[in-house]
Amino acid sequence: MVNLQTVKTILFTIGPFLVPRLISYYRSVRVQSQTSPLPIRPVPDHVRNALNILFFASLLAFLTSLPFFTPENIFSLTASRLQTPNDVLFNRLANMRSAKGSLNATDELLRARLASLDGRLLYLTYGPSTTAYCNFCNSDDPQSYLYYALPEIVLPHLLNLIVLGLATSRSIAGSEGARWRTQAAIAGVVMALANCYLIGTYDHKTNARVIRPQDLDNFYWRALTLRSLAITVLDAAFASLLWATSTNRIFPMPPSTAERLEGVTRNLESTRGKLTAVGIVRNVIVRDGGMRRKSEAYWRNEGEVMGEVMSEREVVEGVRNALTDRIQLARVEEEAGKYAENLFSGGFATG
């Protein structure tokens, strides 16, 4: 298995090249999000459903990393050394099981499998289920344990791939989730392959020379915890990414042509409905004598009031000053003359 020193060496080798690129990429994403013309919006309802799926999946994965939900380790439970005689080991286990000192069916199967040192080493590598119930496994062929344990190793990743597929499906998360469907599938498959690789390349004889119980490398239980935490982090990361992108905080995606056409059509239909309503109201006013007289009286009074206001000296001077300061009359007259010339020249040429 890859040890900590190897990881440190890899990080110190690629770190000086990778860190500046990551910083530059973060800055470009930040600038792009700040300069995007799309405003920040609330989380859409369909995206909220996908976030709920990822939240419960990550919560469940985190709970499975707790010791309460992991299989028990006989050596840790009884505080026994790896070299403890088999009878002594299982007598301690029986005393801890109940007051009657009874063992369950799995314990009886493990009693025969843990009689040798190689069996105990493989127990710490592949766990109690594989060690007890694998009928074709042989300590002389450690790979046989890996073959039997593969379904147990891959199953949580397959379930998580189903969760990621649901959370990024177009029917549940819409286009906001579908854009991350490929990345989610690749991340889930890579995590599953990495888990299989780390377990397959682990040297099960690492604990052969360990004497004290606290120095044992309980690889199976450590791998279970790391797998559950990795799935938790992966689901939480995609949930955060989905939330940030769906609200246009990062990687804003402009609406497609079909969506823009649909929005324009919807606005046109709304405007047409309002104009129709205005036309109906106007038609009612014109047809009703009393309402028509009130409307004519209102507009007659409005014209008289605005005429009196605009004829006041202060208003006239204010309008004149505003036009003089803000509008270049000569330029306006020139542009109007050019427009008129183009209009008449085009009309005569057409005639």
Side-chain angles (χ1 to χ4, degrees):
M1 183 179 179
V2 180
N3 55 28
L4 184 60
Q5 187 62 33
T6 305
V7 175
K8 288 182 178 180
T9 304
I10 295 174
L11 290 178
F12 279 115
T13 303
I14 67 175
F17 303 97
L18 186 61
V19 172
R21 292 181 178 273
L22 291 177
I23 294 175
S24 177
Y25 179 72
Y26 168 75
R27 290 176 177 175
S28 63
V29 170
R30 185 176 179 182
V31 171
Q32 182 182 5
S33 62
Q34 291 177 349
T35 57
S36 173
L38 299 177
I40 295 177
R41 62 174 183 175
V43 180
D45 292 336
H46 53 275
V47 175
R48 190 177 290 111
N49 296 331
L51 293 179
N52 290 334
I53 294 174
L54 292 174
F55 170 75
F56 286 112
S58 60
L59 179 61
L60 181 62
F62 176 76
L63 291 177
T64 57
S65 68
L66 300 178
F68 180 78
F69 295 98
T70 57
E72 63 182 9
N73 184 349
I74 292 178
F75 295 97
S76 298
L77 185 64
T78 59
S80 301
R81 297 181 299 110
L82 199 63
Q83 296 79 12
T84 301
N86 215 30
D87 293 336
V88 175
L89 176 64
F90 281 91
N91 285 336
R92 291 177 181 176
L93 182 62
N95 292 330
M96 299 185 68
R97 285 278 185 243
S98 64
K100 297 181 179 180
S102 60
L103 298 174
N104 55 38
T106 303
D107 298 332
E108 295 296 341
L109 292 174
L110 287 174
R111 181 194 288 271
R113 301 297 177 90
L114 299 183
S116 63
L117 179 61
D118 286 338
R120 298 185 176 192
L121 294 174
L122 292 168
Y123 170 83
L124 294 177
T125 303
Y126 295 102
S129 178
T130 300
T131 306
Y133 295 103
C134 181
N135 295 323
F136 62 85
C137 295
N138 189 348
S139 58
D140 295 333
D141 183 17
Q143 290 296 109
S144 60
Y145 285 82
L146 176 62
Y147 300 148
Y148 184 87
L150 272 179
E152 180 185 354
I153 297 171
V154 175
L155 181 60
H157 296 286
L158 291 178
L159 295 177
N160 191 52
L161 278 173
I162 294 175
V163 170
L164 292 175
L166 290 175
T168 56
S169 64
R170 189 174 295 274
S171 59
I172 294 179
S175 59
E176 292 86 352
R179 64 185 295 197
W180 302 110
R181 190 174 182 84
T182 303
Q183 292 83 346
I186 293 175
V189 171
V190 169
M191 182 177 292
L193 293 177
N195 193 8
C196 295
Y197 172 77
L198 293 177
I199 294 176
T201 57
Y202 178 75
D203 185 7
H204 70 282
K205 294 185 178 181
T206 303
N207 294 306
R209 298 180 180 275
V210 177
I211 298 177
R212 299 187 303 174
Q214 57 269 27
D215 294 336
L216 287 174
D217 181 16
N218 300 310
F219 174 76
Y220 172 76
W221 290 267
R222 180 161 56 90
L224 277 182
T225 302
L226 292 178
R227 181 184 64 193
S228 299
L229 293 178
I231 292 176
T232 302
V233 172
L234 180 64
D235 292 346
F238 271 100
S240 302
L241 185 63
L242 187 57
W243 169 80
T245 54
S246 64
T247 56
N248 295 329
R249 284 178 167 84
I250 60 172
F251 306 121
M253 184 177 64
S256 62
T257 304
E259 293 175 343
R260 290 198 297 268
L261 289 175
E262 182 181 358
V264 171
T265 304
R266 192 183 303 112
N267 292 333
L268 289 176
E269 290 292 336
S270 176
T271 304
R272 179 177 176 274
K274 293 178 181 179
L275 291 176
T276 303
V278 171
I280 294 173
V281 173
R282 179 65 177 172
N283 190 25
V284 172
I285 293 175
V286 172
R287 289 179 179 272
D288 185 83
M291 297 181 69
R292 184 173 64 253
R293 286 191 295 270
K294 289 182 180 180
S295 177
E296 292 174 354
Y298 169 79
W299 288 112
R300 190 182 305 111
N301 183 57
E302 180 73 12
E304 293 175 357
V305 171
M306 292 304 299
E308 293 176 359
V309 170
M310 296 301 297
S311 62
E312 293 182 0
R313 181 177 179 181
E314 293 82 0
V315 176
V316 174
E317 291 180 355
V319 172
R320 184 185 299 113
N321 294 333
L323 293 175
T324 304
D325 296 337
R326 298 182 182 180
I327 301 178
Q328 299 178 3
L329 295 178
R331 183 176 178 182
V332 173
E333 292 177 355
E334 182 180 357
E335 292 180 355
K338 291 181 179 179
Y339 177 77
E341 289 180 3
N342 292 332
L343 181 62
F344 284 105
S345 62
F348 290 137
T350 303

